[in-house]
Amino acid sequence: MTFSFLPVRGLLLLVWLVAPSSALAQEPSRLMRPGQLDVHAEGGLSFIPPSFEAGASTEVGVVGLGPGTLSVGAQLGLRQCLLACSLSGVLALERVSTRDVHVLGRLGYHFTWPGKSQGKVDLQGALLGGVMEARILRDAPEFRYEGRGRGLAFGLAVGGNYFLSSRFFVGCEARLRFASGLYALSLTRGSYAFTQEDRQWVRLGLGTVFSAGVRLF
């Protein structure tokens, strides 16, 4: 009685070919799950107006919703205007500096693409809402004044995180924000009659923020 090894060899070859793809399919997804907490340190640039931004944020998964996870969180940020904060001020030989501090809540939705990326990438979109404090310094040859005021802020964010390991990741997020309010102004040099236009402030921010973070649990 003869026994052929060809079927056995064929079976072993099939297992060898399928094993890598099976291991990849079993790689754990980095999609945020309910109860998981992410903490980020952030820095980036805003294009409208040209400014630098730094801050921190945190987010926790709340409940699974469809193929993704609903999350809540908060972010704290500081935005400092760069170079020409006011074109009219430059033309009038004035120095105008603006700085904003914001505290915003986040309502996000995390998802991931099926396939190879799910083991490395966590994508998300978020609604933002909270409070912004705006500050201004205007220094002209004839006068100098400072002001600050608070107002409600709203925004949208879209981005994602790329995991370098099971816990540590880097991320990028595009943000659009809007806030408005009134300054409380104080004259520190010279004489100047404040107008309603001077007191009213509006912030429309569009920029990109880069982050490094850790998934605590």
Side-chain angles (χ1 to χ4, degrees):
M1 179 178 180
T2 60
F3 180 78
S4 174
F5 286 96
L6 291 179
V8 177
R9 291 173 59 186
L11 180 60
L12 292 176
L13 179 61
L14 179 61
V15 172
W16 180 78
L17 291 174
V18 173
S21 59
S22 298
L24 178 62
Q26 293 173 0
E27 185 177 356
S29 172
R30 299 305 177 208
L31 171 68
M32 173 179 277
R33 299 298 184 184
Q36 291 184 323
L37 175 67
D38 288 355
V39 178
H40 311 242
E42 304 172 341
L45 294 175
S46 294
F47 311 112
I48 305 175
S51 54
F52 170 77
E53 184 172 333
S57 65
T58 183
E59 207 161 6
V60 61
V62 176
V63 63
L65 184 63
T69 302
L70 195 67
S71 66
V72 295
Q75 65 184 58
L76 170 66
L78 169 69
R79 187 200 64 85
Q80 174 66 54
C81 180
L82 300 174
L83 302 176
C85 299
S86 170
L87 181 59
S88 60
V90 172
L91 298 177
L93 300 179
E94 299 176 353
R95 181 170 69 92
V96 179
S97 175
T98 61
R99 175 182 298 176
D100 308 326
V101 178
H102 62 264
V103 180
L104 303 177
R106 296 174 61 96
L107 176 62
Y109 184 72
H110 291 252
F111 60 97
T112 187
W113 297 117
K116 295 182 179 180
S117 65
Q118 69 175 349
K120 295 290 185 180
V121 177
D122 176 24
L123 304 174
Q124 64 174 307
L127 299 176
L128 311 175
V131 178
M132 177 179 290
E133 179 177 275
R135 303 180 184 183
I136 186 171
L137 168 64
R138 185 178 177 186
D139 191 354
E142 299 83 10
F143 60 88
R144 182 181 186 276
Y145 68 77
E146 300 177 358
R148 64 172 59 187
R150 294 180 181 177
L152 296 179
F154 306 93
L156 299 172
V158 178
N161 300 319
Y162 181 85
F163 279 78
L164 306 174
S165 67
S166 60
R167 290 186 178 273
F168 296 95
F169 57 85
V170 292
C172 179
E173 191 170 79
R175 293 175 180 171
L176 174 65
R177 286 193 303 264
F178 173 82
S180 179
L182 293 175
Y183 283 125
L185 300 172
S186 59
L187 193 66
T188 59
R189 177 173 55 83
S191 59
Y192 182 80
F194 296 120
T195 66
Q196 183 62 26
E197 183 178 358
D198 295 326
R199 299 182 187 278
Q200 181 74 44
W201 61 267
V202 176
R203 296 288 190 272
L204 176 62
L206 174 62
T208 301
V209 173
F210 299 93
S211 64
V214 58
R215 178 160 289 174
L216 296 181
F217 50 82

